[in-house]
Amino acid sequence: MKVVHTIQDLRDHLRGQTRVAFVPTMGNLHDGHLALMKMARQHGDPVVTSIFVNRLQFGPNEDFDRYPRTLRDDVEKMEQRRDVYITFAPDEHEMYPVPQNYRVQPPDDLGDILEGEFRPGFFSGVCTVVMKLLSCVQPRVAVFGKKDYQQLMIVRSMCQQFQLPVEILAHETVRADDGLALSSRNRYLRPQERAEAPRLYVTLQSMRQAQRAQLAAGVCDLEVIEKEALDLMQAHGWKVDYMSVRRQRDLKRPAAAEVLAGEPLVALAAAKLGATRLIDNLEF
Ligand code: PAF
């Protein structure tokens, strides 16, 4: 596998390639990332990854400075799997050579809710870097994980709106044996917190269960389901940003009539355990 640090080198290596499959990452790779790369391999050739910790998507009090930067380990993991042909690992100057004055802004109705409400500027940071990376790599397909459900939707809609010739593929969330969604931030969890962390997914599953029971009884009261989930999480020491049931297609709150008519739903959650913020979701 080749590791390149400049856009010029990347373009030189990719000249003439028309079936590039791309997996953008911020590094500190785990099995979730490696699964995205494997999927990319099934949909294109060559596979390109990027490793870039994107300052623009971190808030002032977030973990940009301590975000794990583990390029050497990451390269080793990718070399073992042999799915990736080139890793693009630019430094900040290469990605943002002048102060980054332009931003790609997601629409308010998608960008300002849920994650966007609790992490202002996050999605504009993501859209800006993803737009830049897509422009550098020019892939035919790009693979994103469903764990970052709202990010996936926003990237998809951005590519449609800007008519980018790339297909965005979604990979199911990869989980540890106890159900915890894999994330680079899991490494911040202390042992006791790590033992508690699977509750996030368990609670999402109980939300799905409760919604199915309501549906079977011909009832729809999502607020009750959300409140029960919130109380449960708080009782176990979590600081919850949101536990919310939304429509899959646009992440808006569904009307009761829609739910009763079988509208596809997704429960999305973000909550802090100690200093670590985790997100997860479950479709139903
Ligand atoms: O999901 C991530 O790791 C990041 O948000 C991404 C898409 C690589 C952009 O920095």
Side-chain angles (χ1 to χ4, degrees), residues 24-26 52 54 57 122 126 129-130 144 148 151:
T25 81
M26 296 205 298
F52 178 65
N54 174 38
Q57 70 189 74
F122 170 68
V126 168
V129 79
V130 170
F144 289 77
D148 299 293
Q151 167 176 282

Side-chain angles (χ1 to χ4, degrees), residues 233-251:
M233 296 289 289
Q234 285 176 342
H236 288 88
W238 293 72
K239 273 181 67 185
V240 177
D241 282 348
Y242 57 84
M243 308 274 314
S244 190
V245 181
R246 301 292 172 112
R247 299 197 299 216
Q248 279 181 29
R249 61 189 152 105
D250 56 8
L251 300 187

Side-chain angles (χ1 to χ4, degrees), residues 4-245:
V4 300
H5 300 284
T6 66
I7 296 168
Q8 188 60 54
D9 275 355
L10 178 71
R11 291 204 164 130
D12 287 347
H13 279 101
L14 292 179
R15 188 155 301 119
Q17 300 285 0
T18 56
R19 297 186 55 243
V20 173
F22 177 47
V23 182
T25 81
M26 296 205 298
N28 194 239
L29 303 182
H30 49 65
D31 284 350
H33 295 112
L34 298 172
L36 304 186
M37 292 166 196
K38 190 168 177 193
M39 183 175 185
R41 180 96 186 268
Q42 289 154 4
H43 288 85
D45 183 38
V47 173
V48 177
T49 63
S50 61
I51 293 185
F52 178 65
V53 183
N54 174 38
R55 185 188 289 277
L56 295 191
Q57 70 189 74
F58 289 79
N61 300 317
E62 294 185 354
D63 54 344
F64 176 75
D65 287 331
R66 68 179 184 126
Y67 198 87
R69 288 154 173 90
T70 53
L71 183 61
R72 194 179 297 176
D73 284 1
D74 294 345
V75 167
E76 214 167 275
K77 283 182 187 162
M78 288 187 279
E79 283 184 332
Q80 277 167 14
R81 301 286 179 114
R82 296 165 170 268
D83 285 323
V84 175
Y85 170 63
I86 296 184
T87 290
F88 175 47
D91 65 13
E92 208 160 321
H93 180 72
E94 184 69 12
M95 281 306 278
Y96 300 129
V98 288
Q100 178 68 32
N101 297 328
Y102 285 81
R103 291 278 194 286
V104 181
Q105 199 66 44
D108 297 349
D109 61 346
L110 202 49
D112 288 356
I113 58 170
L114 301 165
E115 280 301 277
E117 182 185 338
F118 289 92
R119 300 185 69 190
F122 170 68
F123 285 121
S124 122
V126 168
C127 286
T128 304
V129 79
V130 170
M131 181 67 112
K132 274 201 173 217
L133 290 167
L134 292 175
S135 147
C136 295
V137 177
Q138 307 205 347
R140 194 177 62 89
V141 301
V143 186
F144 289 77
K146 271 194 179 179
K147 185 181 81 75
D148 299 293
Y149 201 88
Q150 193 176 359
Q151 167 176 282
L152 168 68
M153 275 186 85
I154 287 178
V155 167
R156 263 207 179 120
S157 82
M158 176 183 81
C159 292
Q160 278 164 6
Q161 293 261 325
F162 286 99
Q163 283 133 333
L164 302 184
V166 58
E167 184 185 353
I168 303 300
L169 302 176
H171 193 288
E172 290 302 325
T173 301
V174 180
R175 299 182 180 280
D177 289 345
D178 59 9
L180 177 65
L182 299 191
S183 161
S184 301
R185 290 189 167 102
N186 292 352
R187 64 149 54 192
Y188 300 149
L189 295 167
R190 301 206 190 104
Q192 256 184 331
E193 293 166 346
R194 176 62 190 81
E196 169 62 22
R199 190 178 309 281
L200 189 58
Y201 186 50
V202 170
T203 306
L204 287 169
Q205 287 173 308
S206 67
M207 291 172 85
R208 175 172 66 181
Q209 196 85 2
Q211 197 270 328
R212 282 183 178 160
Q214 283 191 358
L215 201 57
V219 176
C220 171
D221 192 343
L222 298 179
E223 279 174 16
V224 167
I225 293 174
E226 291 170 354
K227 174 83 172 57
E228 274 173 12
L230 179 76
D231 289 348
L232 185 73
M233 296 289 289
Q234 285 176 342
H236 288 88
W238 293 72
K239 273 181 67 185
V240 177
D241 282 348
Y242 57 84
M243 308 274 314
S244 190
V245 181

